[in-house]
Amino acid sequence: MKTKRLIRGSALLAALLVLAGCAVGPTYERPAAAAPAAYKEAALPASEAGTWKPAEPSEDALRGAWWKVFGDEGLNQLQEEAQKANQNLQAAAARLTQARALQREARAGFFPSLDAAFGPSRQRPSAVSQGLPDGTPTSPTTTWRAQGTVSYEADLFGRVASTADAATADAQQSEALYRSVLLALQADVASTYFLVREQDAESALYNQTVKLRTDTLQLIQRRYDAGDISELDLARAKAELASAQSEALGIDRRRAAAEHALAVLLGRAPSEFTMPPQPIQKVALSIPAGLPSTLLERRPDIAAAERAMAAANARVGAAKSAFFPRLDITGAFGYESSDLGNLFQWSSRTFLLGPLVGAALSMPIFDGGRRQAGLDRARAVYEEDVAVYRQTVLTAFREVEDNLANLRILADQTRAQDAAVEASARAAKLSHTQYREGSISYLDVIEADRSVLLQQRVSVQLSGEQARSAVDLIRAIGGGWGNPVPSADSVASNP
């Protein structure tokens, strides 16, 4: 009889061990996403365009200090300050720490839990619970207990493993999102910095224009006082000077707003930050966009979307495991006595094992469709994340193409604009000469000067647009390619 029980117990144990390896979750495979062989605007050689390779996740690779390609020490210092003090980056680091804590919490399900308790209880049982007639008096008793409890869930169908996999993917997604915030911060600092410098160039241009028009007004005033010209020319000169002064003040207002925005990116109050004027210069960079397949590896937002899919896929497995039996193994052991002095004597020992030798095997039968609804929801979340991932990839390709086109067309536009500035300056010089000779009216001079100012301002704006487009292209391809910057680990552990 004892042998039969042993055989049955061994068979049951073997069956449980077999079931423990039966995970019911779907195997994760990253869905395909459109990836062209080459960028339309990159104009890569045919030999290079044909070297397409499948993307391999590399979102954990350190991004380089890409902003150093501009050779601007002021920008370098601002980038370092922003990475240390920006509050959005600190919040992203805190979210990463939270996700990693949840990952450790989920992985704790692989191990048993052990608890200890100590204390007295006093009770008076009812007569009926003692098998006595109603109304029979019973005596109260005091019981001292010191015991430990152990509980463990055997992961028969992969519920614990799926939950841990989902938490791991969530942590990886949070790290990719941290890197996305870091890259966005770096790009925003660079773009805002170049915007301030563009405003400085425009301000210098208008300050020079105000000075020239002040000198011109003085000349017109002397000629008017001498009776050489009518009051109309004097009024026009005053109007042009006032207009230039108004435009200069408008540029100062926009420059102040851009400087305030830069201060916030640096984690500082606007009143605590002042950037000295530094007019922008032309930026001419050749930025390697790489192959489209590498974009799936470099972009942190794509990596985050992919990890969201992996987490959703793992949660589908956890939802499916709810349809299968669950095995909880529990036990309690310790001492129990009516007297505290006898509590820890060997004769006071006690233990408790649940049914099925300390195990409780529960089997779902009917729940009104709750489990099926949970599974349907998990699958729908996964499908949503697949669509988000594919849309993120398409958006990334569009951003790269946009900025490649911007830089290509801006280069041609800048060359044309340089010619326009040169021609308008020549025309203005000739108009001033002819006006002094009396062959043209002052209105012609005003129009020539306006044309020079307009063309010079457009040239300055194109320089700023080129710099910001270069920054946007680097951001679109997922960051730089040089010296490493601090990793998410270092910032998350020591914000």
Side-chain angles (χ1 to χ4, degrees), residues 69-92:
V69 300
F70 294 101
D72 192 317
E73 187 58 33
L75 177 59
N76 297 343
Q77 295 176 358
L78 293 178
Q79 291 286 0
E80 293 178 3
E81 183 176 349
Q83 291 181 39
K84 294 177 181 178
N86 181 265
Q87 297 305 305
N88 288 333
L89 187 62
Q90 300 303 315

Side-chain angles (χ1 to χ4, degrees), residues 277-474:
Q278 185 183 4
I280 195 170
Q281 304 296 325
K282 283 184 170 52
V283 174
L285 293 177
S286 178
I287 300 172
L291 297 174
S293 58
T294 63
L295 191 67
L296 305 183
E297 305 170 11
R298 295 177 56 84
R299 289 269 298 225
D301 57 338
I302 294 178
E306 189 274 331
R307 288 292 84 196
M309 283 191 304
N313 182 80
R315 290 190 173 94
V316 171
K320 290 180 68 175
S321 67
F323 288 90
F324 297 89
R326 176 170 174 169
L327 178 61
D328 293 309
I329 304 173
T330 59
F333 57 91
Y335 297 89
E336 187 174 292
S337 173
S338 60
D339 189 351
L340 179 60
N342 299 328
L343 179 59
F344 293 101
Q345 292 184 2
W346 183 249
S347 59
S348 299
R349 70 187 184 279
T350 180
F351 68 90
L352 173 66
L353 297 177
L356 197 61
V357 195
L361 187 65
S362 59
M363 177 69 183
I365 297 177
F366 176 76
D367 60 2
R370 181 177 61 83
R371 288 179 176 84
Q372 184 61 48
L375 178 58
D376 292 342
R377 177 184 178 278
R379 286 173 173 167
V381 170
Y382 174 75
E383 292 299 327
E384 177 188 4
D385 288 337
V386 170
V388 170
Y389 168 74
R390 288 172 173 162
Q391 185 62 39
T392 303
V393 171
L394 291 174
T395 301
F397 285 131
R398 177 187 62 79
E399 290 174 353
V400 174
E401 295 284 7
D402 286 349
N403 288 288
L404 285 172
N406 284 345
L407 289 177
R408 176 179 60 82
I409 297 173
L410 281 171
D412 296 336
Q413 188 177 1
T414 298
R415 286 190 289 270
Q417 188 60 36
D418 289 342
V421 170
E422 183 178 355
S424 63
R426 175 62 178 168
K429 182 177 180 180
L430 293 174
S431 68
H432 280 272
T433 301
Q434 293 176 359
Y435 176 71
R436 286 193 295 268
E437 294 173 352
S439 59
I440 62 173
S441 69
Y442 188 64
L443 183 61
D444 295 323
V445 175
I446 290 175
E447 289 300 323
D449 286 343
R450 284 179 180 173
S451 178
V452 173
L453 179 61
L454 175 62
Q455 300 304 330
Q456 289 177 335
R457 187 175 185 181
V458 170
S459 180
V460 168
Q461 291 173 344
L462 287 177
S463 296
E465 188 66 27
Q466 275 187 314
R468 290 192 295 274
S469 292
V471 171
D472 291 341
L473 176 57
I474 296 174

Side-chain angles (χ1 to χ4, degrees), residues 15-82:
L16 293 177
L17 291 175
V18 171
L19 288 175
C22 298
V24 297
T27 301
Y28 174 69
E29 294 182 3
R30 181 167 53 181
Y39 293 115
K40 176 181 178 181
E41 295 289 342
L44 293 175
S47 59
E48 184 178 352
T51 58
W52 187 91
K53 67 182 182 65
E56 300 173 357
S58 64
E59 65 271 13
D60 57 344
L62 295 178
R63 308 304 178 195
W66 53 264
W67 54 88
K68 292 185 177 180
V69 300
F70 294 101
D72 192 317
E73 187 58 33
L75 177 59
N76 297 343
Q77 295 176 358
L78 293 178
Q79 291 286 0
E80 293 178 3
E81 183 176 349

Side-chain angles (χ1 to χ4, degrees), residues 249-293:
L249 292 173
I251 292 172
D252 290 343
R253 175 176 53 82
R254 292 189 291 274
R255 200 264 189 196
E259 186 181 70
H260 299 165
L262 183 57
V264 172
L265 290 173
L266 301 178
R268 298 166 64 177
S271 60
E272 300 173 351
F273 174 73
T274 300
M275 179 174 164
Q278 185 183 4
I280 195 170
Q281 304 296 325
K282 283 184 170 52
V283 174
L285 293 177
S286 178
I287 300 172
L291 297 174
S293 58

